[in-house]
Amino acid sequence: MSDPINRLQLVFERFPGIGPRQAGRFVQFLLRSSPSLRRELAAAIEDLGGSVRQCPKCKRFYAGTDKLCSICENILRDPSLLAVVAHDTDLAAMERSGAFRGLYYVLGGTVSLATDKHEHLCIGDLAASIADRAREGLHEIILALPANTEGDSTAVRVRDKLEPACAEHDITITTLGRGLSTGSELEYADPDTIQNALRGRK
Amino acid sequence: MSDPINRLQLVFERFPGIGPRQAGRFVQFLLRSSPSLRRELAAAIEDLGGSVRQCPKCKRFYAGTDKLCSICENILRDPSLLAVVAHDTDLAAMERSGAFRGLYYVLGGTVSLATDKHEHLCIGDLAASIADRAREGLHEIILALPANTEGDSTAVRVRDKLEPACAEHDITITTLGRGLSTGSELEYADPDTIQNALRGRK
Amino acid sequence: MSDPINRLQLVFERFPGIGPRQAGRFVQFLLRSSPSLRRELAAAIEDLGGSVRQCPKCKRFYAGTDKLCSICENILRDPSLLAVVAHDTDLAAMERSGAFRGLYYVLGGTVSLATDKHEHLCIGDLAASIADRAREGLHEIILALPANTEGDSTAVRVRDKLEPACAEHDITITTLGRGLSTGSELEYADPDTIQNALRGRK
Amino acid sequence: MSDPINRLQLVFERFPGIGPRQAGRFVQFLLRSSPSLRRELAAAIEDLGGSVRQCPKCKRFYAGTDKLCSICENILRDPSLLAVVAHDTDLAAMERSGAFRGLYYVLGGTVSLATDKHEHLCIGDLAASIADRAREGLHEIILALPANTEGDSTAVRVRDKLEPACAEHDITITTLGRGLSTGSELEYADPDTIQNALRGRK
């Protein structure tokens, strides 16, 4: 039987952004915490499987027994716009901005450049739902993906898969505007950003 | 007579981005440098006044005896586009990007928010030159200013001053596109940038 | 019943160095992980309580069924020296340095300056063990505490509690040397460090 | 004749800690400054040669016509202690700390590891002055050098050169104490610092 301290540290090292040193601090923190906190944590982790559902429409995770997540269910959201994002956290950022009133679709990641893998992304489900969504009023799919190579590859892949159905139902596919981000100065902008800012001038 | 060490340190503290500690290091560096390096530096600083000219057309500085700077003089540049920038360094960044083939105009700074001062910006000269530039083919003025509050205030001020002449000569005034800069992810983007990226989608 | 996603996020926010944003990423990571990874993590956390023991002699945590931890049990360690540290991670740093061959005692934290609380530190147990440790040959207790205000307050508190027993058994109490740390330059050293470096010269 | 803008930028690039980009900003700053500021700067740089003296006793630079610098001249300073430092800025840091009341000697740098050059350091002058300083009461020379490899090599070199005279006049040579610097925690300390902190305990 392996050492539970090491075993736990190895699991924490798989957490996003956590290296061996911080994983070790997490273990030490739990060792010196009350048994009740450890039980609470273990129970909350187990509960994720039981009481959390993935929304069948937008693929994001939510707690509860409703059939759809709170956004997909909300009749005040605009069904003519669909933002395709990589992660739940991107969806959260767009919600915080207050600038978007449409619906979302969460791919669950981006194409991996190393492996070109994309089976973990739910692109097929999205393509299969286009006809239904067109009936509900969908007019535009906004690819709200990261402005980097992984995001760009993902956009190409998604566009490929969606284009036939979108053409048939007269749905436009757009991407987010690129250019100077708020607070940035030309002097420090990379050539690509300057080029995008010039192309996107208005 | 004041102490030349302190006096020199105080001048260096006025340099952009230089605090008292680094100003002190500059002085120590010069104290331990050879007299010939100090003479060379002093001479080069004096020479700026003598052999450097400000281009009467775009207001940037250049060395030499030509009537215009190398960009304004270059007949291969496109006179239908004029990029208005805050600093020579912004112009340099745009040149490095290779994305712009038009002409420039250097304001020499931005409106100061603290004082709302703008007399140091050569906006009047630019306004006075619009008729001439229209005759040379000018069709669009691109306000290539920093994506911050100073840049925005400057854009408002420049637009105000240029609009009458531009309307008369059918010249459009545009601003650089804003949105996600290259490499950025939605999750970390500020609400303003997300809003701009959504507005600028295409 | 509260939302298990929020509940789990709140527990992660109590982890050392983790804010709301990263706690949210941990939850998303677990949501998209396999059920087996979640089960493994929950089990490892539960196991901490069952198979991990706190060494009765030095108070650090270890896995196994031995009566003492591997350092306290090691007859090659020098019982004349005892290093009192705040955390298990400090003990690990001293072991990595290879510079210490004595025994340790882990307080489990430092005095909190906000509350002056110190009941969570096992100072009483240490004081009660001095006579036994003297019989085993203890000659010097090294307070190896952080070089900050919390560490200094803790040192005062520990010294107070240990001095009677140490005087009786002729045990010296020392603190780690302070001064320039490796790689540092005088120019950037704080006045306190310079003072300590001058006092500690040899 | 070379371009004065480029020429000035190249001189600024030789300043400590200044790269091409910041050197370019300095030139732009001066181009847009008033001619009087440029004249003031050039004059202050030229003046360094004329009105600044190097103290014959401690080798630091000062402005004025006094024979010695203000510290060497100050009869309240303790002549029994001499701190040997690498740079004027180290001397300034020690003065700010208020922890030293002795005299200084500024080497003007450290031994270069790449070249093992040390002729630029005024070690010979210091060695030659030991007899005189002993007569004034010197008892201890403190090598207050950086806690890095260059500093350590310099200390070895200085000690070598001074030891004969120091032995003859019963002068001790010490180095600054090393250990935990103020604010640092054991967990993040390098092995060398932990070793020094253990050796320097008291």
Side-chain angles (χ1 to χ4, degrees):
Chain A
M1 193 198 82
S2 79
D3 177 341
I5 292 182
N6 287 340
R7 201 147 47 89
L8 184 54
Q9 173 157 348
L10 287 174
V11 181
F12 280 137
E13 284 182 31
R14 296 169 63 179
F15 275 44
I18 299 304
R21 181 167 267 180
Q22 204 166 5
R25 294 179 71 132
F26 288 176
V27 175
Q28 289 300 326
F29 165 76
L30 288 177
L31 280 170
R32 303 213 171 244
S33 299
S34 66
S36 70
L37 182 108
R38 287 199 296 265
R39 265 196 306 273
E40 192 186 335
L41 177 58
I45 291 166
E46 295 264 27
D47 275 9
L48 283 187
S51 56
V52 165
R53 307 171 60 119
Q54 187 171 26
C55 178
K57 194 159 177 190
C58 75
K59 305 298 179 193
R60 77 177 179 123
F61 287 93
Y62 65 104
T65 54
D66 295 332
K67 277 198 177 157
L68 295 175
C69 79
S70 57
I71 295 180
C72 287
E73 232 181 23
N74 184 345
I75 56 165
L76 298 173
R77 306 289 302 208
D78 177 357
S80 73
L81 290 174
L82 180 72
V84 176
V85 297
H87 299 285
D88 287 70
T89 43
D90 298 325
L91 183 158
M94 287 185 72
E95 285 296 290
R96 275 198 303 274
S97 81
F100 185 67
R101 293 299 301 158
L103 298 173
Y104 294 97
Y105 191 85
V106 182
L107 292 175
T110 51
V111 170
S112 155
L113 289 186
T115 62
D116 199 39
K117 264 200 189 169
H118 55 89
E119 296 77 20
H120 60 300
L121 309 179
C122 328
I123 311 182
D125 280 15
L126 176 57
S129 74
I130 297 296
D132 280 354
R133 291 177 188 272
R135 232 166 292 129
E136 294 167 12
L138 181 61
H139 269 109
E140 179 182 349
I141 295 177
I142 304 166
L143 303 181
L145 296 165
N148 54 30
T149 334
E150 284 86 357
D152 291 344
S153 297
T154 311
V156 168
R157 175 80 54 181
V158 172
R159 206 180 264 276
D160 264 15
K161 288 277 175 74
L162 299 189
E163 236 154 28
C166 285
E168 194 182 325
H169 295 95
D170 211 19
I171 294 167
T172 322
I173 304 178
T174 59
T175 51
L176 288 183
R178 299 219 180 144
L180 291 183
S181 56
T182 308
S184 64
E185 307 201 24
L186 264 178
E187 183 184 351
Y188 304 111
D190 60 293
D192 222 43
T193 294
I194 292 181
Q195 205 158 54
N196 285 322
L198 277 166
R199 274 196 210 124
R201 71 183 187 266
K202 53 190 171 185
Chain B
M1 193 198 83
S2 79
D3 176 342
I5 292 183
N6 287 340
R7 202 148 47 91
L8 183 55
Q9 174 156 347
L10 287 175
V11 180
F12 280 137
E13 284 181 33
R14 296 170 64 178
F15 274 46
I18 298 305
R21 179 166 267 178
Q22 206 167 4
R25 294 180 71 133
F26 288 176
V27 175
Q28 289 300 326
F29 165 77
L30 289 176
L31 279 169
R32 301 211 172 244
S33 299
S34 66
S36 72
L37 181 107
R38 287 200 296 266
R39 264 195 308 272
E40 190 186 337
L41 177 59
I45 292 167
E46 297 262 29
D47 274 8
L48 283 187
S51 56
V52 165
R53 310 173 56 120
Q54 187 170 25
C55 175
K57 193 158 177 194
C58 74
K59 305 298 179 194
R60 78 176 181 123
F61 288 92
Y62 65 103
T65 53
D66 295 331
K67 275 199 178 157
L68 295 176
C69 79
S70 58
I71 295 180
C72 287
E73 232 180 23
N74 183 345
I75 55 164
L76 297 174
R77 306 287 303 207
D78 176 357
S80 74
L81 291 174
L82 180 72
V84 176
V85 298
H87 299 286
D88 287 69
T89 44
D90 298 324
L91 182 157
M94 287 185 71
E95 285 296 291
R96 274 197 304 273
S97 82
F100 185 69
R101 294 299 302 158
L103 298 173
Y104 294 97
Y105 190 85
V106 183
L107 291 176
T110 50
V111 170
S112 155
L113 289 186
T115 60
D116 200 41
K117 265 199 190 169
H118 55 89
E119 295 78 20
H120 59 301
L121 310 179
C122 329
I123 310 181
D125 280 16
L126 176 58
S129 73
I130 295 295
D132 279 355
R133 291 176 188 271
R135 231 166 293 129
E136 294 166 12
L138 181 60
H139 268 108
E140 179 182 349
I141 295 177
I142 304 167
L143 303 182
L145 296 165
N148 55 29
T149 334
E150 283 86 358
D152 291 343
S153 297
T154 312
V156 168
R157 176 79 54 184
V158 172
R159 205 180 265 276
D160 266 15
K161 288 277 175 72
L162 299 189
E163 235 153 31
C166 284
E168 196 182 326
H169 296 94
D170 210 20
I171 293 167
T172 321
I173 304 179
T174 60
T175 51
L176 288 183
R178 300 218 182 147
L180 291 183
S181 55
T182 307
S184 65
E185 308 202 21
L186 264 177
E187 183 184 350
Y188 303 111
D190 61 294
D192 223 43
T193 293
I194 291 182
Q195 204 157 55
N196 287 322
L198 277 166
R199 274 199 210 121
R201 70 184 187 267
K202 52 187 173 187
Chain C
M1 194 199 83
S2 79
D3 177 341
I5 292 182
N6 287 340
R7 201 147 48 89
L8 185 54
Q9 173 156 351
L10 288 175
V11 181
F12 280 136
E13 285 182 30
R14 295 170 64 179
F15 274 45
I18 299 306
R21 179 166 268 178
Q22 204 167 4
R25 294 180 72 131
F26 288 176
V27 175
Q28 289 299 326
F29 165 76
L30 288 176
L31 280 169
R32 302 214 173 242
S33 298
S34 66
S36 71
L37 182 107
R38 286 198 298 265
R39 265 197 306 272
E40 191 186 336
L41 176 59
I45 291 167
E46 295 262 29
D47 275 8
L48 282 187
S51 56
V52 165
R53 307 171 60 118
Q54 187 170 24
C55 177
K57 194 160 176 191
C58 75
K59 305 299 178 193
R60 76 178 180 122
F61 287 93
Y62 65 104
T65 53
D66 295 332
K67 277 199 178 155
L68 295 175
C69 80
S70 58
I71 294 180
C72 287
E73 231 179 24
N74 184 345
I75 55 165
L76 297 174
R77 306 289 302 210
D78 176 357
S80 73
L81 290 174
L82 180 71
V84 176
V85 298
H87 300 286
D88 287 69
T89 42
D90 298 324
L91 184 157
M94 286 185 72
E95 285 297 290
R96 274 197 303 273
S97 81
F100 185 67
R101 293 299 301 158
L103 299 173
Y104 294 97
Y105 190 85
V106 182
L107 292 176
T110 50
V111 170
S112 155
L113 289 186
T115 61
D116 200 39
K117 266 201 189 168
H118 56 89
E119 296 77 21
H120 60 299
L121 311 178
C122 328
I123 311 182
D125 280 15
L126 176 57
S129 74
I130 296 295
D132 279 355
R133 291 176 188 272
R135 231 166 293 129
E136 294 167 11
L138 180 60
H139 269 108
E140 179 180 348
I141 294 177
I142 304 166
L143 303 181
L145 297 165
N148 55 30
T149 333
E150 284 86 358
D152 291 344
S153 297
T154 311
V156 167
R157 176 78 57 182
V158 172
R159 206 180 264 277
D160 265 15
K161 288 276 176 75
L162 299 189
E163 236 154 29
C166 284
E168 196 182 325
H169 295 94
D170 212 20
I171 294 167
T172 322
I173 304 178
T174 60
T175 50
L176 288 183
R178 300 220 181 142
L180 291 184
S181 56
T182 308
S184 64
E185 307 202 23
L186 265 177
E187 183 184 350
Y188 302 110
D190 60 294
D192 223 43
T193 293
I194 291 181
Q195 205 158 52
N196 286 321
L198 277 167
R199 275 199 209 121
R201 71 184 188 265
K202 54 189 172 186
Chain D
M1 191 198 82
S2 78
D3 176 342
I5 293 183
N6 287 340
R7 200 148 47 89
L8 184 54
Q9 173 156 346
L10 287 175
V11 181
F12 280 137
E13 284 183 32
R14 295 170 64 179
F15 274 45
I18 298 306
R21 180 167 267 179
Q22 205 167 3
R25 295 180 69 132
F26 288 176
V27 175
Q28 289 300 326
F29 165 77
L30 288 176
L31 280 169
R32 302 215 171 241
S33 298
S34 66
S36 72
L37 182 108
R38 286 199 297 266
R39 264 196 307 273
E40 191 187 335
L41 177 58
I45 291 167
E46 297 262 29
D47 275 8
L48 282 187
S51 56
V52 166
R53 309 172 58 120
Q54 186 170 25
C55 176
K57 192 159 178 193
C58 74
K59 306 297 179 194
R60 78 178 179 121
F61 287 92
Y62 64 103
T65 53
D66 295 331
K67 278 201 175 153
L68 295 176
C69 80
S70 59
I71 294 180
C72 287
E73 231 180 24
N74 183 344
I75 56 164
L76 297 175
R77 307 287 302 209
D78 177 357
S80 73
L81 291 173
L82 180 72
V84 176
V85 298
H87 299 286
D88 287 69
T89 44
D90 298 323
L91 183 158
M94 287 185 72
E95 286 295 292
R96 275 196 304 273
S97 80
F100 185 69
R101 293 299 300 157
L103 298 173
Y104 294 96
Y105 190 85
V106 183
L107 291 176
T110 51
V111 169
S112 155
L113 290 186
T115 61
D116 199 42
K117 264 199 190 170
H118 55 90
E119 297 76 22
H120 60 301
L121 310 179
C122 329
I123 311 182
D125 280 16
L126 175 57
S129 73
I130 295 295
D132 280 356
R133 290 177 188 271
R135 232 167 290 129
E136 293 167 14
L138 181 60
H139 268 109
E140 180 181 346
I141 294 177
I142 304 167
L143 304 182
L145 297 165
N148 55 29
T149 331
E150 284 87 357
D152 290 344
S153 297
T154 311
V156 167
R157 175 80 54 184
V158 172
R159 206 181 264 276
D160 265 15
K161 288 276 176 72
L162 299 189
E163 236 154 29
C166 284
E168 195 181 327
H169 295 94
D170 209 19
I171 293 167
T172 322
I173 304 179
T174 60
T175 50
L176 288 183
R178 299 217 181 146
L180 291 183
S181 56
T182 307
S184 65
E185 307 202 24
L186 264 177
E187 184 184 350
Y188 303 111
D190 61 294
D192 222 43
T193 293
I194 291 182
Q195 205 158 54
N196 286 321
L198 276 167
R199 274 199 209 122
R201 70 182 187 268
K202 52 189 173 185

